[in-house]
Amino acid sequence: APVGGMIIPGNVGIGTTTPQRKLTITNSGANGQIMLTDTGAVADSHYGEIGFSQGAFSINTMTDLLATTSRMVINNQGNVGIGTTSPASLLSVQGNGLFSGNVSLANLTATGTMNVLGLTTLVNASTTQISVSNTAYFPGSGIWNSSGNVGIGTTGPGAKLEVAGGN
């Protein structure tokens, strides 16, 4: 055997006498199967956990008291959740996100407030539709409210097109 290690031919089992793969870890409890420790980390950052339970794979962080918080989950339908333990779509993110590159979308449904900063280009504008169920604000341009009125220089247009102020 190598110095400080070992060579095991065949499959290795932890918690099982019948390992099915090179490494099989079996756990019948609620805790994750693999715990990672960093003894040099700051308080409440010493532990991490990789687990599989009831068809879901999870990556978790743990406090020094071993309280677990799931950071990413892949459920038994293949849905990935970041910041949520019950992803409802192929990718479900609970919380804020940051994309430093380009994001391409075939369809976009915003169920909350959608903020678009910087230059925004809608390609294929002849077939692109913007549907607003409440109020959309276009800074410097005007307001399009839910009654279908467009205002330039006013936040409450009373006609199909109302222009206020300016030359």
Side-chain angles (χ1 to χ4, degrees), residues 75-95:
N75 70 13
N76 58 0
Q77 287 94 33
N79 294 343
V80 176
I82 300 173
T84 178
T85 57
S86 53
S89 299
L90 192 57
L91 176 61
S92 295
V93 178
Q94 180 65 41

Side-chain angles (χ1 to χ4, degrees), residues 109-144:
T109 301
T111 58
T113 300
M114 183 175 78
N115 293 315
V116 179
L117 305 174
L119 178 64
T120 302
T121 303
L122 301 175
V123 180
N124 298 324
S126 62
T127 59
T128 301
Q129 295 181 357
I130 298 175
S131 177
V132 178
S133 59
N134 288 316
T135 301
Y137 173 57
F138 302 96
S141 298
I143 296 289
W144 170 20

